[in-house]
Amino acid sequence: MTGTPVAVAAATPRSKIQRNASGTPGGPKVREEKIRVTVRMRPLNTKEQAMYDLIAWDCLDEHTIVFKNPNQERPTTPYTFDKVFAPTCSTHKVYEEGAKDVALSALSGINATIFAYGQTSSGKTFTMRGVTESAIKDIYDYIKNTPERDFILRISALEIYNETVIDLLKRESGPLRLLDDPEKGTIVEKLNEEVAEDRQHLRRLIGICEAQRQVGETALNDKSSRSHQIIRLTVESSLRESSGHVKSYIASLNFVDLAGSERISQTNTCGARMKEGSHINRSLLTLASVIRKLSGGKCGHIPYRDSKLTRILQSSLGGNARTAIICTISPSLSHVEQTRNTLAFATSAKEVINTARVNMVVSNKTLVRQLQKEVARLEGELRSPDLSVNSCLRSLLAEKELKIQQMERDMEDLRRQRDLAQTQLDLERRVNKVPKGSNDCGPSSQIVRCLSFPEENKSANGKRTPERREAVGRQAMLKNLLASPDPSILVGEIRKLEDRQLQLCEDANRALEVLHQDFATHKLGNQETAETMSKVLSEIKDLVAASSTPEEIVAADKADLMEKITQLKNQGNTIASLERKLENVQKSIDKLVSAFNAEETPENKTTPLRRKKILPFTLSNSPNMQHIIRAPCSPLSSSRKAMEHDIENRAPENNIGISGSDSFAKFHKDTPRKDDKSCDSILSRAGSPATRKSKSVNVMKIQKMFKNAAEENIRSFRVYVTELKELVAKLHYQKQLLVCQVLELEANKSLNEEKDTPDRSPLPWHILFDQQRKQIIMLWHLCHISLVHRTQFFLLLGGDPSDQIYMEVELRRLTRLEQHLAELGNASPALLGDEPAGSVSASIRALKQEREHLARKVNTKLTAEERELLYAKWEVPPVGKQRRLQFVNKLWTDPYNMQHVQESAEIVAKLIDFSVSDENSKDMIELNFSSPFNKKTWAGWNFISNLLNL
Ligand SMILES: Nc1ncnc2c1ncn2[C@@H]1O[C@H](COP(=O)(O)OP(=O)(O)OP(=O)(O)O)[C@@H](O)[C@H]1O
């Protein structure tokens, strides 16, 4: 035994022993706790008394035991434990305070072990008998008081005698082997297990075990146990079936009565007894070694396998069990060294931490039984004339009825929309017969038109009204679209629109953030204000600079770009308006500065120095003053330059830059430029030392004015930013509209082409639909298109005449993609959005990832029963790894088999919670092409753009 009691006891004073709350049934599901260690001292036995042996140990209190030093020469160190039981303590008390809560953990599914450890004749068997008896009583009492659960108790028992494992309930089995089970740990092969029918039966069985155990006489004990005995009770419990639960708890409760450590000199053994003694000592030595290593924190090798005892008890030593060790000691002076060893062992043991879990099982049988019962109950309910069931069904029916009505209304709406679209289509077809090129005005006029409102779209006062805009509407737009031979122009515009939208969003958010901070920290009239204002101004400057970046407009060959695009391009107006508003901010600040100068009265001049110290806005001490005074001149200078650049690059008439240049001219007039003399004069006045010394201000008044003006500016700026955000939202909407139009244009073109072919008699739509759908399915397969996209498209487009456009577009896009792949040989840009063109292998990889995502959803979206049915149907082997993935890998793999396709789509829809409903309209396919799992890889918008070769 290593470690002196002094060192170990000092290292772990009792106050530092951390213990979790005891866990009788219903405690936490996983717990980490130290082994519960108690010490029981028996009375002097008759032999010891006869030899006038002395009591060498003193129980100071119920936690502390100390060696009684007879000559009092040196102080002795006390040992502390969870409990110390004096010789007068009853075994029942030992059980109650040292083992009960651990033992009863087994009733709530937590493994538990109770050991008795000590030298020979110290009282282990005496104690364990009493503890086992008390535990059995409590267990049966608990069972009796818990009628809602069904309990099954099973018992097995073994002894390890001379390192041989013997079944104590079936001794004739001979030596048993230990096996390693990956789940259960070490198990004893062929160990007999009996079901305990009741308490008496269990006691009888335990009696048999004890009778079977190897006992021999030694000098110290007439009936010395010569083996380690383990009695194992397995407690299984489940809620009674009527409760509807199917989970059970299962746990083992081990009662371990170890053989006692002994000294050959003291036990006077020889021959067989000596051999037993050496085996006992060896296995106890391994136990002590395991405990010692575990007490050091489970690091390094733990020699569980060095003895059968530690192998069998492995889970109770630092594993999944709650453990209590009762160390029994003799009080006699003649055994003091043995007792010291026992106490050292106990001291190590109290540092060992176990991690006990609740062992829960769901038996398939119980589950099936439960489900059968549930089915029977539901069937009964359906048959029963029970009013509550009927009323429930009635309300369900009413709900469905409402849904049907709603759907009918929606269908009516859709029909109307379809008719409208049809009319538009007819119109477009007619329009398309107008000779192309009649509007060809060359690249520059293209830009001009792009950036201006045509005269006829202006109202009487020359301003474009929303009503008028609405009236121009879709037809005019489509007319322009159709007249434009190249949809790439449109898409180019969409691209720019996206960039602009992003930029506006960023700017608006940044400005809002700054303003927010400004409000939060606003303390006008001090240094902080100056800094804040300076920051706002610099933000505004950035905003203007960013917004005024000249457009990169791609000149097109045709002049007649749609009017809608023109409107969208009018973002320049917004920028000009931004300029104006910002200019107002600057002007207000200008005014403040002039007011500031005007307020300089002779009397103020008399007290500049006193004010200077406390008021940062005096001209002399504000480091930020330059920002504020320069503000009217500097922040807009960059935007002005940008605006000039913008204007230079645009045609002179009907240019949206006009409003900007108006404002620019006005700005020139009202606001001094950075290099203006007036501005310089302000600066020189502000910076002149003479001024600094001679002038003072009516501080309060200026502060108030400044505050009001600044707040006003902030308010108007905030309103502006809000408008800016609305604009962003509108742009977004318009962008989506444009996409639709591009697609329609594509579709219309193909329809017109078909129409232009004279001898081609059109097929009936349902036949055409079938043909196109088959082609599309094949192309999806060839191009490794997202399964989610396939599913949504397949389920949403069922052959309605209004599907024509969508089918046409999808087919054209896929055909183009397929050609593209063929051209590149190994490239598949479409699936990778805006990322550089990837290879076919990248597409396959993306698809593989999508399948993996879907596989992960199988368990959550499908019930166990549904899964098993589907696995069987889709021929997934009944056992094996990754069955979910095997299953998903079979979906969408046979483009020739329509039933396969239909079922694949239904399964994927279920996995992604997709259903054909109001919110999942066909438009969704057009605008949102993406898989829900990987937005980046499956970016639908970019997909469309890429397919259009832009
Ligand atoms: N607390 C106690 N009070 C009274 N008698 C006791 C107590 N503990 C043990 N004894 C008695 O001491 C004797 C030895 O006890 P026991 O057989 O339980 O020791 P043991 O530790 O199991 O010994 P071994 O390791 O040799 O089997 C028995 O006669 C027992 O009745």
Side-chain angles (χ1 to χ4, degrees):
M1 212 52 72
T2 58
T4 63
V6 178
V8 179
T12 55
R14 206 191 74 76
S15 59
K16 288 197 179 168
I17 300 173
Q18 307 240 323
R19 302 219 175 265
N20 290 351
S22 61
T24 42
K29 297 269 182 277
V30 179
R31 67 170 77 207
E32 247 197 13
E33 68 172 5
K34 290 181 174 177
I35 290 180
R36 184 171 178 80
V37 180
T38 54
V39 171
R40 184 185 198 191
M41 184 159 66
R42 67 160 166 77
L44 284 173
N45 63 26
T46 43
K47 272 188 191 165
E48 288 159 348
Q49 284 171 3
M51 289 168 67
Y52 301 104
D53 210 340
L54 293 172
I55 292 181
W57 299 89
D58 212 359
C59 297
L60 288 183
D61 58 37
E62 58 179 15
H63 298 289
T64 317
I65 186 166
V66 66
F67 177 62
K68 282 204 273 187
N69 197 343
N71 38 25
Q72 301 288 327
E73 276 169 6
R74 52 196 171 105
T76 55
T77 310
Y79 294 85
T80 57
F81 301 101
D82 288 300
K83 278 276 167 183
V84 169
F85 302 105
T88 49
C89 276
S90 69
T91 304
H92 189 67
K93 186 173 180 191
V94 174
Y95 163 75
E96 283 284 333
E97 295 177 15
K100 181 177 175 172
D101 69 328
V102 173
L104 296 189
S105 300
L107 292 164
S108 54
I110 297 172
N111 296 333
T113 297
I114 299 160
F115 281 98
Y117 178 97
Q119 75 163 116
T120 182
S121 85
S122 58
K124 296 183 294 298
T125 307
F126 180 87
T127 302
M128 280 314 291
R129 264 189 205 139
V131 165
T132 310
E133 179 62 36
S134 298
I136 289 170
K137 180 182 176 299
D138 276 354
I139 287 169
Y140 275 100
D141 285 350
Y142 180 83
I143 292 172
K144 198 173 140 196
N145 295 327
T146 316
E148 70 275 15
R149 296 188 79 86
D150 282 327
F151 286 87
I152 300 173
L153 250 70
R154 290 191 296 269
I155 178 174
S156 60
L158 60 87
E159 70 171 349
I160 305 167
Y161 174 69
N162 289 350
E163 277 304 276
T164 306
V165 179
I166 309 287
D167 190 336
L168 288 176
L169 284 173
K170 207 176 176 188
R171 210 173 175 92
E172 62 276 17
S173 300
L176 302 179
R177 285 198 309 160
L178 297 188
L179 301 176
D180 288 318
D181 183 278
E183 277 180 17
K184 297 178 189 163
T186 302
I187 53 168
V188 183
E189 192 187 32
K190 295 178 184 164
L191 183 67
N192 190 38
E193 201 175 41
E194 300 259 349
V195 174
E197 285 153 16
D198 53 31
R199 186 175 162 187
Q200 299 314 320
H201 184 220
L202 183 60
R203 289 176 74 184
R204 250 197 334 274
L205 291 170
I206 289 174
I208 293 171
C209 298
E210 287 190 344
Q212 296 287 338
R213 192 179 177 189
Q214 294 280 351
V215 178
E217 187 180 341
T218 66
L220 291 181
N221 192 348
D222 297 342
K223 287 184 177 172
S224 178
S225 309
R226 307 313 290 160
S227 65
H228 308 298
Q229 173 187 269
I230 301 173
I231 294 175
R232 174 168 294 177
L233 292 184
T234 303
V235 186
E236 197 173 336
S237 75
S238 54
L239 280 170
R240 288 197 189 279
E241 287 181 5
S242 57
S243 65
H245 288 258
V246 290
K247 284 175 188 163
S248 305
Y249 292 133
I250 186 162
S252 302
L253 170 57
N254 297 312
F255 297 100
V256 184
D257 179 12
L258 297 172
S261 58
E262 58 192 38
R263 282 191 170 165
I264 292 167
S265 58
Q266 284 183 320
T267 48
N268 290 331
T269 51
C270 58
R273 292 282 166 271
M274 202 167 109
K275 188 183 166 197
E276 288 162 7
S278 71
H279 276 298
I280 292 167
N281 284 345
R282 206 176 311 148
S283 58
L284 288 176
L285 208 64
T286 308
L287 175 65
S289 161
V290 165
I291 292 279
R292 200 173 56 250
K293 294 217 166 177
L294 287 171
S295 68
K298 287 191 191 177
C299 43
H301 171 68
I302 312 288
Y304 290 112
R305 299 185 71 84
D306 286 5
S307 78
K308 289 190 171 151
L309 176 70
T310 46
R311 268 184 85 183
I312 293 171
L313 294 178
Q314 180 167 349
S315 68
S316 307
L317 304 168
N320 173 22
R322 298 189 72 205
T323 300
I325 298 182
I326 304 167
C327 292
T328 53
I329 56 170
S330 155
S332 84
L333 190 59
S334 57
H335 295 141
V336 75
E337 278 314 308
Q338 289 282 56
T339 302
R340 278 214 170 102
N341 286 343
T342 303
L343 293 175
F345 173 88
T347 304
S348 291
K350 71 186 185 181
E351 295 304 322
V352 176
I353 296 171
N354 282 1
T355 313
R357 284 188 300 276
V358 174
N359 304 305
M360 219 176 270
V361 284
V362 181
S363 100
N364 286 344
K365 243 192 204 166
T366 329
L367 193 66
V368 168
R369 235 181 9 243
Q370 198 63 38
L371 289 172
Q372 281 170 342
K373 272 185 81 177
E374 184 65 9
V375 169
R377 187 184 65 77
L378 290 171
E379 279 175 354
E381 270 184 16
L382 278 175
R383 278 194 299 270
S384 92
D386 189 326
L387 271 176
S388 64
V389 175
N390 280 346
S391 70
C392 178
L393 285 174
R394 263 201 303 279
S395 73
L396 268 175
L397 274 174
E399 202 180 300
K400 292 271 178 258
E401 191 64 37
L402 277 175
K403 270 195 181 155
I404 290 167
Q405 282 171 10
Q406 178 63 39
M407 283 168 84
E408 279 171 357
R409 277 198 298 277
D410 291 350
M411 276 173 68
E412 190 50 44
D413 274 359
L414 287 170
R415 256 184 237 116
R416 265 202 304 279
Q417 281 175 25
R418 187 197 59 197
D419 294 345
L420 190 69
Q422 194 62 45
T423 320
Q424 284 173 357
L425 201 65
D426 293 344
L427 181 71
E428 284 153 18
R429 282 180 186 153
R430 280 202 298 280
V431 167
N432 208 28
K433 286 195 176 149
V434 174
K436 286 176 185 171
S438 58
N439 288 331
D440 194 348
C441 303
S444 60
S445 61
Q446 163 86 27
I447 298 166
V448 174
R449 278 185 168 248
C450 224
L451 301 174
S452 63
F453 298 128
E455 278 309 309
E456 71 266 22
N457 288 344
K458 287 189 177 178
S459 63
N461 61 8
K463 282 191 179 161
R464 184 181 167 78
T465 63
E467 296 77 23
R468 181 64 190 142
R469 243 176 275 153
E470 203 56 52
V472 171
R474 198 175 162 82
Q475 289 186 11
M477 188 196 328
L478 284 170
K479 183 176 161 184
N480 285 334
L481 264 169
L482 287 165
S484 171
D486 188 0
S488 66
I489 297 166
L490 263 181
V491 183
E493 293 307 320
I494 293 167
R495 278 264 165 97
K496 282 188 209 112
L497 210 56
E498 282 179 311
D499 292 343
R500 171 50 62 97
Q501 182 184 308
L502 198 72
Q503 193 185 326
L504 286 176
C505 269
E506 278 170 13
D507 290 344
N509 284 332
R510 198 169 51 225
L512 267 181
E513 206 176 293
V514 170
L515 284 173
H516 177 74
Q517 279 173 11
D518 185 36
F519 269 113
T521 58
H522 209 80
K523 288 176 195 156
L524 287 166
N526 60 21
Q527 186 88 10
E528 211 174 327
T529 309
E531 284 168 8
T532 309
M533 287 306 292
S534 156
K535 199 173 166 197
V536 171
L537 290 171
S538 110
E539 285 292 334
I540 292 168
K541 187 180 166 186
D542 288 348
L543 184 66
V544 175
S547 304
S548 306
T549 311
E551 290 281 353
E552 280 177 32
I553 297 165
V554 182
D557 292 324
K558 304 288 172 193
D560 51 336
L561 267 181
M562 332 171 301
E563 184 200 20
K564 206 72 176 171
I565 295 284
T566 308
Q567 288 173 28
L568 295 173
K569 294 300 297 178
N570 279 337
Q571 284 153 13
N573 269 338
T574 312
I575 306 308
S577 151
L578 170 68
E579 290 267 14
R580 276 199 302 278
K581 288 182 188 240
L582 293 174
E583 204 179 321
N584 286 341
V585 176
Q586 304 305 319
K587 268 191 248 163
S588 303
I589 294 166
D590 277 355
K591 274 187 199 147
L592 276 171
V593 175
S594 357
F596 176 85
N597 290 326
E599 282 296 322
E600 289 174 356
T601 59
E603 61 269 30
N604 287 337
K605 290 177 191 170
T606 59
T607 54
L609 293 172
R610 194 162 54 83
R611 298 277 182 194
K612 191 170 77 173
K613 283 195 174 157
I614 51 165
L615 297 167
F617 278 125
T618 54
L619 296 175
S620 58
N621 70 347
S622 170
N624 294 292
M625 203 59 203
Q626 52 171 328
H627 295 296
I628 294 164
I629 295 176
R630 277 176 184 273
C633 315
S634 59
L636 290 177
S637 57
S638 61
S639 68
R640 189 188 306 125
K641 276 178 194 152
M643 182 65 83
E644 283 166 348
H645 178 257
D646 206 18
I647 291 163
E648 276 166 22
N649 283 303
R650 293 174 189 179
E653 79 282 2
N654 290 335
N655 195 316
I656 62 103
I658 287 171
S659 60
S661 64
D662 281 343
S663 119
F664 182 58
K666 201 159 175 284
F667 171 75
H668 258 298
K669 212 172 105 205
D670 295 349
T671 315
R673 291 178 67 104
K674 189 177 181 181
D675 54 351
D676 278 356
K677 292 224 164 54
S678 54
C679 186
D680 286 342
S681 67
I682 292 172
L683 283 171
S684 68
R685 261 181 293 160
S688 129
T691 314
R692 228 182 296 140
K693 282 189 181 156
S694 63
K695 291 176 185 172
S696 64
V697 291
N698 182 343
V699 174
M700 294 303 286
K701 202 169 172 183
I702 287 174
Q703 273 188 316
K704 199 160 177 253
M705 280 174 61
F706 193 98
K707 188 171 183 287
N708 292 343
E711 281 176 353
E712 181 54 38
N713 285 336
I714 287 165
R715 263 197 300 280
S716 65
F717 193 74
R718 179 170 273 195
V719 168
Y720 166 68
V721 171
T722 311
E723 284 168 12
L724 199 61
K725 286 198 131 186
E726 278 169 14
L727 178 77
V728 167
K730 272 186 203 155
L731 289 178
H732 182 69
Y733 169 71
Q734 286 168 329
K735 180 187 78 181
Q736 293 194 342
L737 209 57
L738 276 172
V739 177
C740 281
Q741 288 156 6
V742 171
L743 298 174
E744 280 182 48
L745 176 65
E746 287 273 297
N748 289 336
K749 274 187 159 184
S750 72
L751 284 174
N752 287 327
E753 276 162 23
E754 267 175 29
K755 218 175 149 192
D756 292 343
T757 316
D759 28 325
R760 209 160 152 201
S761 57
L763 285 168
W765 165 237
H766 70 277
I767 296 177
L768 188 65
F769 173 77
D770 273 354
Q771 281 181 359
Q772 287 187 339
R773 190 156 75 163
K774 279 180 186 150
Q775 283 173 24
I776 286 170
I777 290 167
M778 179 50 76
L779 286 166
W780 284 338
H781 184 75
L782 293 175
C783 300
H784 313 287
I785 298 293
S786 152
L787 301 190
V788 171
H789 171 74
R790 297 187 208 186
T791 297
Q792 291 175 339
F793 191 97
F794 183 84
L795 294 178
L796 283 171
L797 278 78
D800 189 274
S802 64
D803 294 348
Q804 215 160 344
I805 286 177
Y806 298 96
M807 296 295 283
E808 197 67 45
V809 171
E810 182 79 355
L811 196 56
R812 284 173 64 90
R813 286 185 298 170
L814 286 166
T815 311
R816 200 175 291 186
L817 174 62
E818 210 261 326
Q819 282 167 359
H820 187 64
L821 289 177
E823 279 162 23
L824 288 179
N826 190 29
S828 172
L831 301 182
L832 298 169
D834 273 348
E835 288 171 20
S839 61
V840 171
S841 58
S843 311
I844 293 169
R845 205 163 48 243
L847 190 59
K848 187 170 164 267
Q849 277 169 8
E850 193 187 31
R851 286 187 188 277
E852 284 162 3
H853 277 294
L854 288 169
R856 283 199 280 278
K857 290 180 172 282
V858 166
N859 277 1
T860 50
K861 303 291 176 186
L862 302 173
T863 65
E865 207 177 358
E866 283 173 334
R867 282 200 302 272
E868 287 311 319
L869 281 173
L870 284 169
Y871 288 168
K873 186 171 179 187
W874 289 73
E875 293 174 357
V876 176
V879 282
K881 284 183 177 175
Q882 298 192 312
R883 292 175 79 210
R884 290 178 295 172
L885 189 57
Q886 287 184 46
F887 168 57
V888 173
N889 280 343
K890 286 173 186 270
L891 303 177
W892 280 105
T893 48
D894 186 355
Y896 295 105
N897 182 344
M898 281 312 281
Q899 196 187 339
H900 167 98
V901 169
Q902 177 75 38
E903 287 173 1
S904 296
E906 280 163 11
I907 291 164
V908 172
K910 190 147 194 195
L911 295 180
I912 61 169
D913 285 331
F914 175 82
S915 60
V916 182
S917 61
D918 293 352
E919 59 270 25
N920 295 333
S921 68
K922 289 169 203 165
D923 293 342
M924 189 183 98
I925 296 173
E926 297 298 337
L927 297 175
N928 183 8
F929 218 48
S930 59
S931 153
F933 314 123
N934 191 342
K935 296 272 185 226
K936 201 170 177 219
T937 311
W938 298 99
W941 169 255
N942 296 321
F943 183 57
I944 295 171
S945 304
N946 282 323
L947 283 170
L948 292 166
N949 288 331
L950 291 160

